[in-house]
Amino acid sequence: MRLSFKTKMTSKNFRLDDFIAGWIGGASSVVVGHPLDTVKTRLQAGNGYQNTLHCILTIYRKETVMGFFKGMSFPLASITVYNSVVFGFFSNTQRLISKYRYGDGWHPCGMLDLTAASMLTGLMSVGLGAPVDLVKIRMQMQTQTVLAENLQLAGNVSNGTNIPLRSVHIPNQQLYRGPIHCISSILQTEGIQGLYRGAGAMILRDVPGYALYFIPYAIFCNLLTPSTSSSPHPCSIWLAGGLAGSISWVTATPADVVKSRMQADAQLQRKYNGVLHCIIQSYRTEGAE
């Protein structure tokens, strides 16, 4: 089976407006999707939420609308580089594989070629995407972070009186003033490896995840394009992207939960020793769902 999956970005027709269009598309996806991503992250790594609606209402009541956009500045600023690198790497890897196997960089890719290019792209994306996701999640989870020593106020009083926890006012602690301060703090306390906490789970998510995105995307584009000589209609591209994204995220969600919990697991209150420990603990406490 040959899948014709060609991109517009070549050495002959690369234009600045393609780059700008990619930036606008990526930035738009961040702005539109970040509120839901914040809810997803809180549900995956936070505590005290009964369901999605309860999480949304809690964030709105405690943090107003701006609470849904916590941690957005860093992924918004980095989305241009990330999208350019990921899709540029995928396109060039396809061409290199076709050039090596068929002697023509624009020869239609076979299923095996597309799988190899997708999985290599997923592996490469972790190098850039892990720190971006880490900072985003740490910024999103700030209001969830209350250090253990603050909770001791509920039981340690000079006269020995025990004070119910509900009567102790613990002010909202902002660990990070912004993305740069977040990166600096992580480097100081955890070193360069701290920026890549959860990278193992991200590999488990993105290597198969990209394959399960690009392959269905190419198949759907081919099925929705009547003539093999014509370019897919924009509506066909949107539909193919939506269907492929749904397939990819359904299969990637378990690894994404582990990644989010590993990355939200700050050093001072560490609960997980590694990816396997996180998987076991999550399964023991919450089951498969």
Side-chain angles (χ1 to χ4, degrees):
M1 180 180 182
R2 298 295 176 194
L3 300 175
S4 179
F5 187 84
K6 299 180 180 180
T7 61
K8 293 181 178 180
M9 192 170 67
T10 67
S11 58
K12 293 183 179 180
N13 62 10
F14 175 79
R15 301 189 307 267
L16 184 61
D17 57 348
D18 292 330
F19 183 79
I20 295 173
W23 185 91
I24 293 174
S28 299
S29 68
V30 173
V31 172
V32 173
H34 195 80
L36 292 176
D37 185 71
T38 297
V39 175
K40 174 185 73 72
T41 300
R42 295 282 181 90
L43 286 169
Q44 288 178 341
N47 296 310
Y49 301 118
Q50 299 171 6
N51 49 49
T52 301
L53 180 59
H54 181 248
C55 182
I56 293 172
L57 294 175
T58 302
I59 293 172
Y60 180 75
R61 287 168 182 166
K62 292 184 176 181
E63 307 168 51
T64 71
V65 174
M66 296 308 297
F68 294 99
F69 294 91
K70 285 185 179 294
M72 189 181 74
S73 60
F74 190 64
L76 185 61
S78 59
I79 197 68
T80 305
V81 177
Y82 183 78
N83 277 7
S84 297
V85 170
V86 167
F87 287 96
F89 183 89
F90 175 71
S91 299
N92 282 288
T93 301
Q94 274 192 295
R95 288 198 290 269
L96 285 173
I97 292 175
S98 294
K99 182 72 174 177
Y100 176 78
R101 294 194 64 188
Y102 311 111
D104 178 10
W106 287 106
H107 188 280
C109 284
M111 184 69 73
L112 183 61
D113 306 329
L114 194 59
T115 301
S118 302
M119 296 182 75
L120 286 172
T121 301
L123 185 62
M124 180 280 308
S125 71
V126 175
L128 182 61
V132 172
D133 267 13
L134 179 75
V135 173
K136 174 182 69 67
I137 286 175
R138 292 285 175 90
M139 294 293 292
Q140 287 174 325
M141 295 298 296
Q142 282 200 94
T143 56
Q144 294 288 298
T145 303
V146 179
L147 301 183
E149 51 262 38
N150 294 327
L151 298 180
Q152 293 176 3
L153 292 172
N156 297 335
V157 187
S158 58
N159 61 7
T161 304
N162 289 326
I163 301 176
L165 181 61
R166 62 179 178 274
S167 67
V168 178
H169 174 68
I170 301 177
N172 181 30
Q173 295 195 9
Q174 294 291 326
L175 295 180
Y176 311 115
R177 294 189 296 270
I180 302 302
H181 180 243
C182 180
I183 294 172
S184 175
S185 298
I186 293 171
L187 288 174
Q188 289 177 5
T189 58
E190 304 175 52
I192 187 68
Q193 68 271 20
L195 289 176
Y196 286 89
R197 181 163 177 79
M202 195 170 182
I203 290 174
L204 294 177
R205 184 195 73 176
D206 285 358
V207 171
Y210 272 94
L212 289 171
Y213 174 79
F214 284 119
I215 292 174
Y217 176 73
I219 292 174
F220 288 136
C221 277
N222 283 346
L223 291 175
L224 295 171
T225 304
S227 174
T228 56
S229 60
S230 62
S231 298
H233 190 274
C235 291
S236 299
I237 295 176
W238 294 335
L239 180 58
L243 292 172
S246 299
I247 293 171
S248 176
W249 270 109
V250 165
T251 55
T253 294
D256 186 63
V257 171
V258 176
K259 178 197 73 70
S260 295
R261 292 182 176 181
M262 290 287 295
Q263 291 180 326
D265 194 24
Q267 188 179 37
L268 292 176
Q269 39 178 187
R270 188 139 295 170
K271 297 184 293 185
Y272 307 117
N273 298 325
V275 174
L276 183 59
H277 182 241
C278 181
I279 293 172
I280 293 173
Q281 287 294 101
S282 299
Y283 181 77
R284 283 177 178 173
T285 57
E286 302 173 50
E289 295 183 358

